[in-house]
């Protein structure tokens, strides 16, 4: 799966075949991309050529935008699946499916109803809290994947002493405003707000490694 590790992400053009395979994204250069999720058709998430060019000029800062989305997703997954250290194949989009899979007993293949209820409760409780901030289970998991694939993620652990940017919500907000195109800005800032809220709750740095 796409989100299995923290290795450097290839350029956007190279990712397109993988996106087509993994996320059912339809791409037409110059026209943008369309994302189908159930009966919902996302045709607004596309980048113009000047916007794509601007990414290459601010790649390092752009990766921080992708890292914000990545960190939020990992926070959500860690909360819903406590104790699971290997999250290969897990995404926020497929949490309901993964809850069912991880609730199957290995011995006889039957469903562990107690575990199923517990994980489902954790998922619904967390998303209910995030929904108060404007988070949508139908929209933002997919949007988060879009940001990660567009901007990439940090290649190495940030030095918080040398660069306090990564621990400052205000500084991160300014960076997002400077980097992200206006049509994606509101949802990008919403993801940052959600990350800040979860960081307060678990008392961990915004960028936890």
């Amino acid at each position: 799966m796409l989100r299995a590790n923290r290795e450097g992400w290839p350029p956007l053009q190279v990712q397109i075949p993988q996106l087509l395979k993994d996320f059912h994204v339809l791409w037409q250069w110059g026209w943008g991309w369309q994302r189908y999720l159930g009966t919902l058709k996302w045709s607004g998430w596309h980048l113009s050529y000047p916007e794509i060019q601007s990414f290459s000029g601010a790649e390092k800062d752009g990766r921080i935008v992708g890292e914000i989305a990545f960190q939020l997703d990992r926070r959500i997954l860690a909360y819903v699946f406590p104790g699971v250290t290997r999250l290969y194949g897990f995404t926020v989009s497929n949490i309901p499916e993964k809850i069912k899979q991880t609730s199957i007993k290995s011995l006889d293949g039957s469903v562990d109803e107690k575990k199923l209820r517990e994980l489902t409760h954790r998922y619904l409780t967390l998303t209910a809290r995030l929904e108060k901030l404007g988070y949508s289970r139908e929209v933002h998991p997919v949007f988060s994947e879009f940001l990660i694939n567009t901007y990439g993620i940090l290649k190495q652990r940030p030095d918080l002493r040398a660069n306090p940017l990564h621990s400052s919500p205000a500084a991160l907000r300014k960076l997002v405003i400077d980097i992200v195109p206006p049509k994606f800005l509101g949802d990008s800032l919403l993801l940052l707000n959600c990350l800040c809220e979860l960081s307060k709750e678990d008392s961990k740095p915004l960028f936890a490694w």
Side-chain angles (χ1 to χ4, degrees):
M1 294 292 290
L2 186 61
R3 302 277 315 290
N5 54 52
R6 183 176 284 281
E7 296 177 0
W9 296 71
L12 182 62
Q13 294 91 333
V14 177
Q15 295 176 44
I16 292 173
Q18 188 64 35
L19 291 174
L20 288 167
K21 178 180 178 182
D22 286 351
F23 295 116
H24 312 293
V25 176
L26 302 178
W27 175 280
Q28 288 180 307
W29 191 264
W31 288 89
W33 69 353
Q34 295 176 327
R35 166 67 191 244
Y36 287 81
L37 180 64
T39 59
L40 298 177
K41 180 179 178 181
W42 300 104
S43 58
W45 295 350
H46 65 274
L47 303 171
S48 66
Y49 183 65
E51 288 170 338
I52 292 172
Q53 283 185 313
S54 71
F55 292 164
S56 61
E59 179 182 0
K60 184 177 180 181
D61 288 343
R63 286 181 179 275
I64 296 176
V65 175
E67 186 70 24
I68 290 170
F70 180 83
Q71 289 285 337
L72 175 61
D73 282 6
R74 303 309 275 187
R75 282 302 216 294
I76 294 173
L77 291 171
Y79 181 87
V80 176
F81 302 99
V84 177
T85 56
R86 293 181 58 85
L87 292 169
Y88 181 86
F90 286 68
T91 68
V92 177
S93 296
N94 69 15
I95 282 179
E97 173 190 346
K98 291 300 181 181
I99 287 177
K100 295 177 182 178
Q101 290 181 5
T102 56
S103 298
I104 296 177
K105 299 177 181 179
S106 57
L107 293 178
D108 58 8
S110 63
V111 176
D112 186 334
E113 296 292 345
K114 181 180 178 181
K115 184 175 183 180
L116 179 64
R117 288 193 301 271
E118 289 176 350
L119 295 180
T120 300
H121 177 73
R122 294 183 71 86
Y123 173 54
L124 295 178
T125 299
L126 177 59
T127 53
R129 295 207 308 267
L130 296 179
E131 283 170 357
K132 294 180 180 179
L133 301 175
Y135 188 90
S136 168
R137 284 182 288 171
E138 287 71 36
V139 175
H140 291 105
V142 182
F143 180 71
S144 185
E145 293 168 2
F146 166 71
L147 288 184
I148 293 168
N149 282 282
T150 299
Y151 291 100
I153 57 177
L154 295 177
K155 295 181 179 181
Q156 59 187 14
R157 180 192 298 270
D159 186 342
L160 300 181
R161 291 173 297 180
N163 187 355
L165 164 68
H166 305 99
S167 60
S168 169
L172 288 173
R173 180 180 177 84
K174 183 179 184 304
L175 182 143
V176 171
I177 292 173
D178 291 342
I179 294 292
V180 177
K183 58 188 173 185
F184 302 133
L185 184 55
D187 287 309
S188 299
L189 290 174
L190 186 147
L191 296 186
L192 174 58
N193 289 340
C194 290
L195 176 61
C196 291
E197 186 65 24
L198 296 186
S199 177
K200 291 178 184 177
E201 292 183 6
D202 62 22
S203 300
K204 293 181 180 179
L206 288 171
F207 290 0
W209 287 54

